[in-house]
């Protein structure tokens, strides 16, 4: 068995505004893709303005400690989730953050790399299968799905395939976007419809 990817090692990704009760280390997403954020320096007496400029990959943290009180955020930097609190009022599309503006510590760098790969895969999946236009579902990380009837969540992409973690299981499965899939859309569960066979229309 191959080594686990950075996404497989972590709890399922969640929307950055819905982190209550979410396990420590879960990556935060916005718009169905990984999000990066700037350090929240507001509660330091003397903010470190040099490192404050780097964007970190956002993960849920239950290990943050506050020194001066005030509202304690639940999002932290992947590279140091116990001590770098992030400013969650400015979620950035991670794949879009300039390389010079990124944190290059190992855990952040791994998730930045994942965000670029996933963005490319998701753009392809969205434009090829057109699920948003056909069934009203925008495919992305953290989306609830059922695969062959088993509920789970999209945790990653693999080329033109989606990587799921089914509820109650810790391994992942790689699936085709329209085969045996249902998606939780804005109006409830909808089955994915395979693309029409181009030869059938002739
Ligand atoms: Zn970092």
């Amino acid at each position: 068995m191959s080594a686990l990817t950075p996404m497989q090692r972590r709890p399922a990704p969640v929307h950055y505004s819905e982190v209550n009760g979410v396990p420590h280390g879960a990556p935060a997403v916005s718009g169905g893709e990984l999000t990066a954020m700037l350090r929240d320096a507001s509660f330091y007496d003397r903010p470190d303005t040099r490192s404050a400029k780097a964007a970190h990959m956002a993960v849920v943290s239950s290990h943050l400690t506050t020194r001066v009180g005030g509202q304690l955020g639940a999002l932290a930097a992947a590279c140091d989730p116990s001590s770098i609190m992030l400013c969650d009022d400015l979620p950035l599309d991670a794949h879009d953050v300039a390389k010079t503006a990124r944190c290059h510590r190992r855990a952040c760098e791994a998730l930045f790399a994942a965000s670029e790969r996933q963005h490319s895969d998701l753009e392809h999946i969205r434009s090829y299968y057109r699920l948003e236009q056909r069934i009203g579902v925008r495919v992305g990380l953290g989306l609830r799905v059922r695969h062959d009837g088993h509920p789970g969540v999209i945790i990653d992409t693999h080329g033109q395939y989606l990587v799921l973690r089914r509820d109650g299981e810790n391994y992942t499965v790689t699936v085709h976007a329209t085969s045996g899939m249902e998606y939780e859309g804005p109006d409830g569960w909808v089955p994915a419809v395979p693309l029409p066979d181009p030869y059938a229309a002739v």
Side-chain angles (χ1 to χ4, degrees):
M1 181 161 174
S2 58
L4 295 178
T5 66
M7 299 301 291
Q8 288 172 324
R9 279 195 294 268
R10 292 176 176 277
V14 290
H15 191 267
Y16 77 93
S17 69
E18 296 162 5
V19 297
N20 276 344
V22 171
H24 180 84
V29 301
S30 171
E33 300 191 34
L34 293 180
T35 187
M37 294 176 186
L38 302 177
R39 185 177 199 145
D40 186 344
S42 61
F43 76 114
Y44 291 104
D45 293 336
R46 283 178 290 166
D48 175 353
T49 52
R50 198 168 62 89
S51 62
K53 290 192 176 116
H56 298 273
M57 293 300 297
V59 302
V60 175
S61 176
S62 55
H63 300 168
L64 281 168
T65 53
T66 181
R67 296 181 306 171
V68 293
Q71 183 72 36
L72 190 60
L75 290 171
C79 62
D80 191 355
S82 297
S83 55
I84 301 181
M85 186 168 108
L86 298 180
C87 181
D88 67 3
D89 54 11
L90 186 63
L92 306 167
D93 293 332
H95 64 87
D96 240 5
V97 175
K99 290 203 165 55
T100 51
R102 296 177 180 182
C103 167
H104 291 291
R105 294 169 78 180
R106 192 166 63 179
C108 280
E109 192 155 80
L111 288 179
F112 271 116
S115 77
E116 291 191 350
R117 174 180 55 74
Q118 292 161 350
H119 178 68
S120 164
D121 290 349
L122 287 166
E123 289 281 281
H124 172 78
I125 291 166
R126 289 169 182 151
S127 66
Y128 188 78
Y129 297 107
R130 293 182 288 113
L131 292 175
E132 191 163 13
Q133 294 88 336
R134 298 192 299 127
I135 62 170
V137 169
R138 181 175 165 81
V139 176
L141 304 180
L143 185 63
R144 298 284 302 163
V145 300
R146 292 178 187 146
H147 176 244
D148 291 342
H150 298 279
V153 60
I154 298 172
I155 70 151
D156 200 356
T157 59
H158 185 77
Q160 63 179 312
Y161 299 96
L162 298 172
V163 180
L164 312 182
R165 185 178 288 133
R166 293 174 176 178
D167 293 353
E169 297 173 351
N170 54 22
Y171 60 90
T172 60
V173 289
T174 301
V175 304
H176 188 281
T178 66
S179 178
M181 289 287 286
E182 296 167 83
Y183 293 88
E184 187 170 36
D187 302 316
W189 289 97
V190 284
V193 183
L195 281 175
D197 180 348
Y199 299 105
V202 176

